[in-house]
C-alpha cells in the first residue's frame, strides 16, 4: 500500500501519517520525491487493506492511497515514480565519486579477475584513460569448476584499493559470503552480488545491512520478477542503493555463452525506479560481440555498462575470450560518446 501526499503537504502531516502507520503495527518507507512525498506502507495483510486504506486516505495532507499489486514493493516504480540515482564512492579515500542513474551513464570496466598488481593497475589506468568512471575486478571468484582459478581473495582486495589510489576510480567487486561483507567493504566502494548468488538470501540480507551500494546481477535462469524479488530482500534491510544488472540468460541458443536479454533493460526500468546496467561481456562471452551489445543496451535505455578488459586476454586466468583489449575498449567508448549524445545521455567526463 502506498500513501501519496498532496503537493505542498506539510512535514507535520507527513509525520502524522507515518505515526499512524507505525501505530497500526506496519512499517513505513518514505520516498522524498521531487513533487510530493510517497510513503510505502509494508506489512498490510489482505483482510485489513480496506480498513487501512480508508483510515490513511482521510488524514490531512493525503491525496490518495493505492494498493501495490506487485510483490516487490520497495523496488517498484509504483511506490517511487522518480528514477533513483545511486552514488558510488566517497567513503574510502582516493575515489572520485560516481553516480549511476538519471541522465548520467556509468562505465564500469576492468578485468574479470584481479590476477596480479601489475595486470590490475595496468588495466585500471587503461580503462580510466579511455573514460571509464568505475573499476571492476574480482578478488573472490565464483567459478563453475573448483579446479579453476578462484581469485586472489584478500590480496586481490588490497590490489584493488591500490588501483583506486592510483586512478581515483571507485571499485566494484564481488562478495560471495555473508561473513565477507565486512572485509570487502573495507576495500570496495560498491559490492557486487553475482549471477550465481542472486538468490542467496542470507547474502542478500547481509548486503542489505551494508552502507555500500550494491550491484545485483540477474541469475541466468531467473526471471526479471525473481531479480526484483531478490532486490527486495536487500532493500527491506535498509539498503536502497541498488543497481540492477542484466548479464544474459540461458536459452536453447548456444552460439554465444548466454543470450542477451535486451528486453530486460526497458522492462526492468518500467517496473522499477532503480538504475539498470548491462554486461555485454558475460552476456555474449565473446569479445567480437561485446561492442554491438554494449551499444544495443545503451540504445535500449541502460544506465551504464560493465565491460571486461584485459591487456593480454590470451593470458587471462578467467574469461579471456570475452575480454576487450584496452584499444578496442577505447574505440567502443568513442562510439558510445556519439550514441549517448544522440540519446541525450551523458558519458562520464
Ligand atoms: C563477474 O562479473 O565477474 C561475474 C562472475 O559475472 P556473473 O555473476 O554475471 O557471471
Ligand atoms: Mn568474468
Amino acid at each position: 500500500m502506498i500513501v501519496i501526499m498532496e503537493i505542498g503537504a506539510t512535514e507535520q502531516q507527513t509525520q502524522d501519517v507515518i505515526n499512524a502507520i507505525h501505530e497500526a503495527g506496519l512499517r513505513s518507507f518514505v520516498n522524498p520525491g521531487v513533487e510530493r512525498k510517497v510513503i510505502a506502507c509494508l506489512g498490510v495483510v489482505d483482510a485489513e487493506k480496506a480498513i487501512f486504506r480508508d483510515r490513511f486516505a482521510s488524514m490531512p495532507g493525503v491525496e490518495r492511497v493505492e494498493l501495490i499489486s506487485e510483490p516487490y514493493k520497495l523496488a517498484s516504480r509504483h511506490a517511487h515514480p522518480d528514477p533513483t540515482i545511486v552514488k558510488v564512492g566517497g567513503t574510502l579515500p582516493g575515489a572520485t565519486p560516481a553516480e549511476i542513474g538519471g541522465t548520467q551513464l556509468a562505465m564500469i570496466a576492468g578485468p574479470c579477475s584481479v590476477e596480479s598488481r601489475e595486470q590490475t593497475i595496468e588495466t585500471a589506468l587503461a580503462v580510466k584513460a579511455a573514460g571509464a568512471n568505475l573499476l571492476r575486478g574480482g578478488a573472490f571468484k565464483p567459478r563453475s569448476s573448483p579446479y579453476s582459478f578462484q581469485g586472489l581473495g584478500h590480496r586481490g582486495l588490497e590490489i584493488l584499493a591500490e588501483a583506486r589510489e592510483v586512478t581515483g576510480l571507485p571499485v566494484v567487486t564481488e562478495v560471495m559470503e555473508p561473513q565477507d561483507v565486512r572485509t570487502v567493504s573495507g576495500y570496495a566502494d560498491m559490492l557486487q552480488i553475482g549471477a550465481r548468488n542472486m538468490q542467496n538470501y542470507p547474502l542478500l540480507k547481509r548486503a542489505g545491512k551494508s552502507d555500500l551500494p550494491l550491484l545485483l546481477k540477474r541469475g541466468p535462469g531467473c526471471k526479471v520478477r525473481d531479480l526484483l524479488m531478490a532486490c527486495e530482500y536487500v532493500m527491506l534491510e535498509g539498503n536502497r542503493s541498488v543497481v540492477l544488472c542484466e548479464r544474459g540468460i540461458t536459452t536453447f541458443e548456444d552460439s554465444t555463452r548466454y543470450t542477451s536479454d535486451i528486453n530486460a533493460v526497458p522492462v526492468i526500468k518500467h517496473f522499477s525506479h532503480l538504475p539498470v546496467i548491462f554486461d555485454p561481456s558475460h552476456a555474449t562471452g565473446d569479445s567480437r560481440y561485446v561492442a554491438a551489445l554494449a551499444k544495443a543496451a545503451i540504445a535500449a535505455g541502460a544506465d551504464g555498462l560493465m565491460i571486461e578488459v584485459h591487456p593480454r586476454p590470451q593470458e587471462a586466468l578467467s574469461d579471456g575470450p570475452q575480454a576487450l583489449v584496452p584499444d578496442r575498449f577505447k574505440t567502443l567508448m568513442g562510439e558510445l560518446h556519439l550514441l549517448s549524445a544522440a540519446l541525450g545521455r551523458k558519458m562520464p567526463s
Side-chain angles (χ1 to χ4, degrees), residues 111-113 136 141 217 257 279 281-282 308 318-319 322:
C112 177
S113 297
R136 64 146 288 138
K141 292 304 300 177
K217 299 186 91 175
R257 186 176 179 190
D279 168 353
S281 306
H282 292 89
E308 289 187 346
S318 63
D319 288 351
Q322 69 195 34

Side-chain angles (χ1 to χ4, degrees), residues 48-291:
E48 289 178 333
K49 275 184 176 157
I51 300 169
F52 287 135
R53 187 187 50 209
D54 295 348
R55 183 184 299 174
F56 301 144
S58 63
M59 292 185 71
V62 172
E63 186 179 286
R64 61 184 193 280
V65 177
E66 285 182 11
L67 303 178
I68 307 182
S69 44
E70 297 98 354
Y72 42 90
K73 313 282 180 202
L74 298 170
S76 165
R77 196 178 272 280
H78 205 124
H80 193 302
D82 302 316
T84 286
I85 297 176
V86 170
K87 294 189 177 56
V88 185
T91 44
L92 294 170
T96 306
E99 286 189 350
I100 310 182
T103 53
Q104 187 70 45
L105 295 173
M107 294 293 143
I108 309 172
C112 177
S113 297
V114 174
E115 298 167 5
S116 69
R117 183 178 172 276
E118 293 66 30
Q119 165 254 10
T120 304
I121 291 179
E122 182 182 352
T123 312
L125 287 168
V127 300
K128 158 104 180 180
N133 64 335
L134 294 113
L135 174 67
R136 64 146 288 138
F140 296 97
K141 292 304 300 177
R143 304 305 303 279
S144 305
S145 164
Y147 304 112
S148 301
F149 175 62
Q150 302 287 306
L152 296 182
H154 194 263
R155 175 71 192 128
L157 297 176
E158 290 174 348
I159 293 171
L160 286 167
E162 193 180 339
R164 172 184 43 238
E165 262 171 47
V166 172
T167 60
L169 296 177
V171 165
V172 187
T173 195
E174 179 156 0
V175 59
M176 296 206 297
E177 305 203 45
Q179 63 266 31
D180 287 343
V181 168
R182 186 189 294 270
T183 311
V184 175
S185 303
Y187 296 89
D189 300 282
M190 183 178 211
L191 302 173
Q192 173 173 324
I193 293 186
R196 290 161 190 79
N197 269 319
M198 190 204 87
Q199 289 177 307
N200 179 338
Y201 299 112
L203 181 60
L204 294 168
K205 287 188 198 170
R206 181 61 188 84
K209 292 196 172 74
S210 167
D211 293 333
L212 285 191
L214 174 70
L215 178 64
L216 179 60
K217 299 186 91 175
R218 177 181 177 188
C222 295
K223 295 179 180 173
V224 162
R225 171 190 284 250
D226 300 325
L227 173 64
L228 292 168
M229 291 311 300
C231 177
E232 198 73 10
Y233 270 89
V234 177
M235 297 182 84
L236 193 53
E237 297 297 329
N239 191 346
R240 300 308 154 65
S241 298
V242 184
V243 174
L244 301 169
C245 179
E246 170 57 48
R247 44 75 77 211
I249 53 173
T250 306
T251 66
F252 57 79
E253 179 55 61
D254 62 0
S255 45
T256 48
R257 186 176 179 190
Y258 295 98
T259 299
S260 292
D261 184 9
I262 291 285
N263 291 8
V265 174
V267 169
I268 300 170
K269 288 184 75 77
H270 174 65
F271 289 144
S272 177
H273 54 91
L274 295 168
V276 179
I277 67 161
F278 187 76
D279 168 353
S281 306
H282 292 89
T284 61
D286 188 327
S287 59
R288 282 174 293 201
Y289 310 132
V290 167

Side-chain angles (χ1 to χ4, degrees), residues 281 287-288 290-291 307-311 313 320 322-326 328-329 332:
S281 306
S287 59
R288 282 174 293 201
V290 167
I307 298 181
E308 289 187 346
V309 176
H310 197 292
Q322 69 195 34
L324 296 187
V325 292
R328 185 68 192 90
F329 177 66
L332 171 60

